[in-house]
Amino acid sequence: MINTKTALLYLSLFSFIGCQSGQTNKTPQATVKKEKNPISVNEQFNNYWYSGKAELSSYTLKQARYGEIRDGEVVLVFVTEPFSASKQV
């Protein structure tokens, strides 16, 4: 079994060798295509998406809680609202 001093010695040695290998890690750079207008230009989609109405989705749930499986219901409310750049909300 390796003692603590030996383990630290190996760790330091491998770290030093790894730093001195001279190899550089060159990861390929991702190219990002910038669009002029990131908001969809599909008028039908925009009318639906930005109508200010909420979408409701409900799901049945079985969740382990306090050592028992319990039944439940989950409701997801999703709505888009205008964004204020000055207030960041």
Side-chain angles (χ1 to χ4, degrees), residues 9-34:
L9 177 65
Y10 282 130
L11 180 62
S12 300
L13 181 63
F14 290 136
S15 297
F16 181 74
I17 291 172
C19 291
Q20 297 298 322
S21 66
Q23 296 178 356
T24 58
N25 185 8
K26 293 183 180 179
T27 52
Q29 298 295 320
T31 57
V32 177
K33 181 181 176 184
K34 294 183 180 180

Side-chain angles (χ1 to χ4, degrees), residues 46-85:
N46 286 342
N47 289 338
Y48 176 78
W49 188 254
Y50 298 108
S51 67
K53 296 179 182 176
E55 290 185 10
L56 300 175
S57 300
S58 64
Y59 305 91
T60 56
L61 170 71
K62 291 193 180 286
Q63 180 179 11
R65 190 163 181 160
Y66 303 113
E68 295 181 21
I69 301 295
R70 300 180 185 268
D71 293 328
E73 185 177 347
V74 178
V75 177
L76 173 68
V77 179
F78 190 86
V79 64
T80 56
E81 296 178 345
F83 181 78
S84 170

